[in-house]
Amino acid sequence: MKKIALVTGANKGIGIEIVKQLGEAGWKVILGARSVERGEAAVSELTSMGLDVEFVQIDMRDLKTIEIAADTINKRYPELKLLINNAGMPGAFSRSFMETKEEDLRNAFEVNFFGTFRLNQRLFPLIKDNEGTVVNVSTDMASLDHMQNAEFTLNAFDYNSSKTANNAMTLSMAYEVRNSRAQVFAVTPGFTSTDLNGNAAGGKSKEAAAAIIVGYATDGKRHNAEFLDEKGIYAW
């Protein structure tokens, strides 16, 4: 029987590359996306390559779609072994604390923290029962150590703080499975050129970023409560 994974925010960018790489490794992948049209188009593209991929609509800003998606997965895919929370949004990618607007901060938290929280709560029992893995995709800038000590960083308080909160959620979840074979951890792929940052020059490719995430998710090692980048353990 194939192992089953769910990837959110997966109709483009790093997300679709994660789905592709998992599919190529023999996984059955549920591709989660906000847009039905774009999600189904992505599934069509990947199934044409011979990959086992199905679509489920998940809008991280919409509790109803999260509830429906989680209910569908619990009923149709009870063997779910891996959840990769890739869906995210940048807020306004503010350039400083003083430039940060409350509306943008709330928007970033709604997707990057609250939406992910809602989905995690509804699927975590299944992952625990299946001794599976939850990967919360993070960013270097979510690290308080990085923000304190980096010579240069993007001080995007709206985006960064929503991901720091996500890191705190990772540790809370990891604490609850510390004595089991299930695991929860965070991965930052590092600076990657994606739609999220306007495909900024100088970043790694989406394929390379996805390979970092998939690598840790499928290496068979115990990473519970870790924050990882391409070199290994990253400071919280």
Side-chain angles (χ1 to χ4, degrees):
M1 181 181 294
K2 285 187 176 181
K3 291 181 286 188
I4 301 176
L6 167 64
V7 183
T8 66
N11 64 284
K12 63 179 180 178
I14 295 174
I16 195 170
E17 288 298 329
I18 292 171
V19 175
K20 181 180 178 184
Q21 291 177 26
L22 285 172
E24 290 172 342
W27 287 71
K28 178 182 184 67
V29 188
I30 313 306
L31 184 155
R34 179 178 62 183
S35 165
V36 174
E37 181 181 0
R38 293 176 182 174
E40 290 180 342
V43 168
S44 179
E45 175 188 342
L46 294 167
T47 55
S48 72
M49 301 176 186
L51 304 181
D52 189 357
V53 182
E54 296 183 15
F55 172 69
V56 64
Q57 183 188 20
I58 308 176
D59 183 343
M60 305 308 289
R61 302 169 302 180
D62 185 342
L63 175 59
K64 192 65 177 178
T65 71
I66 293 170
E67 289 176 334
I68 293 171
D71 185 61
T72 297
I73 289 160
N74 275 292
K75 290 178 178 176
R76 292 182 57 187
Y77 310 105
E79 301 89 6
L80 184 73
K81 193 78 172 178
L82 172 63
L83 167 60
I84 298 183
N85 287 302
N86 170 72
M89 63 93 72
F93 241 30
S94 58
R95 292 289 173 170
S96 74
F97 174 78
M98 288 305 297
E99 289 183 20
T100 303
K101 297 177 181 177
E102 182 174 333
E103 179 183 4
D104 297 325
L105 188 65
R106 288 182 181 277
N107 287 339
F109 266 81
E110 188 62 28
V111 172
N112 299 337
F113 179 73
F114 286 108
T116 305
F117 164 76
R118 292 162 184 149
L119 183 63
N120 274 334
Q121 274 205 331
R122 287 161 175 79
L123 294 181
F124 197 32
L126 187 61
I127 291 288
K128 288 191 288 186
D129 288 347
N130 292 336
E131 299 182 336
T133 296
V134 177
V135 178
N136 291 324
V137 177
S138 191
T139 173
D140 303 16
M141 299 174 297
S143 163
L144 299 180
D145 180 83
H146 169 85
M147 292 302 296
Q148 182 179 27
N149 297 306
E151 289 186 17
F152 172 79
T153 192
L154 179 61
N155 191 25
F157 181 63
D158 44 8
Y159 177 68
N160 297 358
S161 62
S162 68
K163 285 294 193 174
T164 302
N166 195 301
N167 279 1
M169 174 167 54
T170 300
L171 286 175
S172 180
M173 295 171 70
Y175 182 82
E176 295 194 1
V177 293
R178 66 195 185 283
N179 296 319
S180 77
R181 295 181 65 181
Q183 60 177 344
V184 186
F185 57 92
V187 179
T188 169
F191 175 37
T192 305
S193 298
T194 68
D195 287 353
L196 185 140
N197 56 33
N199 291 295
K204 62 172 60 70
S205 70
K206 301 173 184 68
E207 293 85 355
I212 295 167
I213 297 165
V214 172
Y216 284 123
T218 62
D219 65 8
K221 298 179 182 179
R222 181 74 172 166
H223 295 297
N224 192 53
E226 292 180 349
F227 188 11
L228 301 157
D229 71 357
E230 59 188 323
K231 297 178 182 177
I233 299 292
Y234 197 75
W236 290 105

